[in-house]
Amino acid sequence: MNLLIKSATIVDPNSPFNQQVADILIKDGTIAEVAKDIKADVEVFEAQGKQVSPGFFDLNCNIGELGLETKEDLKTGTAAAAAGGFTGVALMPNTQPPVHSKAEVEYLFNRAKNYLVDVFPLGTLSQKREGKDLAEMYDMHQSGAKAFTDGTRPVQDSGLMERALLYTKGFDGTVISYPEDAAIAGKAKVNEGEMSTLLGMKGIPSLAEELMIARDLYLAEYTDSKIHFTTISTARSVELIREAKNKGLKVTCDVAAHHLVLTDEALAGFDSLYKVKPPLRTRKDVDALLAGLKDGTIDAIVSQHTPHEIEFKDVEFEVAEFGIIGLQTAFSLALQAGLDVTLIIEKLAINPRKILEINVPVIAAGKQANLVVFNIQGEWGYTKENNLSKSSNSPYIGQNLKGQVLLTCNNNQVYQSNIK
């Protein structure tokens, strides 16, 4: 794949050309030259007034393969990822069977090796995601699993979490915690507050998340281990993690893009497309999440891409499944939240790879061409026709969004948007 990207503004803190306007010549999937005015007999992509950065990386992506391919398979999932500017995704092990042994890890690596988007399976923390016995984490680590989590099933057993932290410390692994105390959350569907009272629905209190974060921080401190919290959503959660970082704990965390722009007021119409977990919170929580991103408390932004067949979402709110698809909208939502593009690149492209200890792409001569070209001013309409996911459970389908991904390049392959 040979391509010349003309006159793009480079947004890459690790590049010697950061914040400069330059041409980027790509030959056979490698950046051959970065300079002011390159002449070459190859396909030209005009990027004047546009930006280019390392490709995005998603730390929390659900793709149905294995076993749930009717929701999403690797082909459609990676196509949606490329359209959203992602060149790498970490797959949650919420599959049937779960990714709880090296067999599943190796299968997914082999299935995904020819795609534009790099796929990194995450292994389960417990066998069958049942929260009882540790999974074969070292074997999965040897096969390439970068971190371990039970995905959307929070680990309720404190002893199991302690053992997992101790065990992964032996090979410098990372435990990813989805923080929720199930006994407190119960079977509630929305955030506990004024809106839940107005809707007449039992709410999930912020305490359910914060109590589990406090527990896992104590355990991480006690074991001197690394821990990553995924999709935090409350103001107090941000405070707890900020305090832990100030104490020197090995803690990182991320936030879902939709939690940066939506509050529980979106639920006024009982639209199940807005039913997510953790639930949409209050304006105070959203403001705290944005402040946490800006001061470095929150390390990354994730899509929390969660596809579902129509029969699981186009039903009454109470029985609908949690989750929305987010790979094609995460970048636009980060811009909608008012974040600076330099900060977005840090949270969407740089830090996620650092957390998993994956090589961070750099826009410089001699490096692999792993990049995305986008227009932060460009508007695009998200429609059922240009939605590349197999599922369509997004409240943003039918809306115009700001921040258009124009071109995604990785593994000697290129995706070019034709969305107007």
Side-chain angles (χ1 to χ4, degrees):
M1 186 267 298
N2 299 323
L3 182 69
L4 177 59
I5 299 171
K6 292 287 291 183
S7 303
T9 301
I10 296 171
V11 186
D12 178 5
N14 299 314
S15 171
F17 303 93
N18 187 34
Q19 301 302 328
Q20 297 181 30
V21 176
D23 297 351
I24 303 169
L25 177 61
I26 301 169
K27 288 189 175 180
D28 299 323
T30 299
I31 298 174
E33 186 180 0
V34 182
K36 280 293 182 185
D37 189 18
I38 300 173
K39 309 290 185 185
D41 187 19
V42 297
E43 181 185 350
V44 174
F45 183 86
E46 292 292 347
Q48 187 170 5
K50 315 300 190 297
Q51 298 78 28
V52 60
S53 79
F56 307 150
F57 189 99
D58 191 14
L59 277 173
N60 188 321
C61 179
N62 295 277
I63 289 179
E65 200 163 348
L66 311 148
L68 298 172
E69 288 86 355
T70 54
K71 296 180 185 293
E72 192 87 275
D73 57 37
L74 284 169
K75 183 177 181 180
T76 59
T78 54
F86 291 93
T87 57
V89 293
L91 297 187
M92 285 288 168
N94 308 325
T95 51
Q96 293 178 354
V99 183
H100 60 172
S101 74
K102 67 178 183 179
E104 292 87 23
V105 173
E106 291 172 359
Y107 169 83
L108 288 169
F109 269 127
N110 288 330
R111 281 278 292 130
K113 62 185 177 183
N114 294 320
Y115 290 118
L116 182 156
V117 177
D118 298 320
V119 170
F120 293 88
L122 301 177
T124 63
L125 190 147
S126 68
Q127 292 181 21
K128 299 180 182 178
R129 296 174 65 220
E130 291 177 346
K132 296 177 181 177
D133 301 301
L134 290 180
E136 301 169 0
M137 289 188 285
Y138 183 69
D139 282 353
M140 289 189 281
H141 170 74
Q142 291 287 85
S143 295
K146 295 293 184 181
F148 305 92
T149 176
D150 277 354
T152 50
R153 292 185 185 172
V155 177
Q156 303 301 303
D157 187 325
S158 301
L160 181 72
M161 180 59 85
E162 182 203 10
R163 291 191 294 277
L165 288 165
L166 280 171
Y167 189 72
T168 52
K169 182 183 177 183
F171 53 87
D172 198 32
T174 299
V175 167
I176 297 179
S177 170
Y178 167 64
E180 181 186 83
D181 188 305
I184 292 176
K187 296 181 180 179
K189 312 295 182 182
V190 299
N191 178 56
E192 182 182 84
E194 292 181 11
M195 185 54 64
S196 65
T197 303
L198 184 66
L199 297 174
M201 301 179 73
K202 184 174 174 58
I204 301 173
S206 298
L207 180 66
E209 176 175 306
E210 295 151 7
L211 194 63
M212 195 62 84
I213 287 179
R215 182 203 73 172
D216 287 350
L217 286 172
Y218 274 118
L219 292 174
E221 182 177 25
Y222 179 75
T223 59
D224 190 30
S225 303
K226 292 189 298 185
I227 191 162
H228 177 83
F229 294 101
T230 189
T231 62
I232 68 167
S233 65
T234 79
R236 181 61 181 142
S237 294
V238 178
E239 290 177 13
L240 288 167
I241 293 169
R242 184 180 290 121
E243 291 164 7
K245 286 192 169 189
N246 289 337
K247 286 174 66 177
L249 271 65
K250 302 170 185 174
V251 56
T252 52
C253 65
D254 65 55
V255 60
H258 48 265
H259 279 115
L260 301 175
V261 296
L262 294 171
T263 69
D264 55 2
E265 293 181 4
L267 305 176
F270 292 97
D271 187 344
S272 62
L273 290 176
Y274 291 101
K275 184 179 179 180
V276 293
K277 205 170 191 184
L280 299 177
R281 304 287 188 182
T282 66
R283 185 73 246 173
K284 175 186 174 184
D285 295 307
V286 172
D287 290 342
L289 293 170
L290 292 170
L293 282 165
K294 292 171 183 176
D295 70 16
T297 301
I298 301 175
D299 301 272
I301 298 170
V302 299
S303 77
Q304 203 188 18
H305 181 79
T306 308
H308 288 298
E309 302 92 333
I310 190 169
E311 60 265 29
F312 290 99
K313 290 297 278 187
D314 191 15
V315 291
E316 295 84 356
F317 189 93
E318 193 72 24
V319 297
E321 292 287 341
F322 293 101
I324 65 175
I325 55 172
L327 285 168
Q328 288 181 244
T329 55
F331 176 64
S332 291
L333 295 188
L335 283 171
Q336 185 180 324
L339 298 175
D340 176 78
V341 67
T342 303
L343 183 70
I344 292 173
I345 299 312
E346 177 190 337
K347 308 297 184 180
L348 265 184
I350 310 297
N351 287 354
R353 291 181 169 93
K354 286 183 177 178
I355 289 166
L356 293 188
E357 298 182 354
I358 295 168
N359 287 335
V360 178
V362 178
I363 298 176
K367 301 292 186 179
Q368 179 186 351
N370 182 333
L371 52 84
V372 55
V373 180
F374 52 85
N375 181 3
I376 59 173
Q377 301 300 330
E379 290 194 4
W380 62 286
Y382 189 26
T383 66
K384 288 188 176 180
E385 289 71 32
N386 60 39
N387 168 42
L388 300 186
S389 170
K390 190 177 285 190
S391 297
S392 57
N393 52 302
S394 169
Y396 293 101
I397 291 178
Q399 295 189 27
N400 288 327
L401 300 170
K402 196 171 184 179
Q404 186 175 12
V405 171
L406 302 171
L407 181 144
T408 311
C409 176
N410 187 36
N411 292 334
N412 202 18
Q413 301 176 56
V414 64
Y415 160 84
Q416 193 165 330
S417 172
N418 58 7
I419 299 174
K420 302 300 182 185

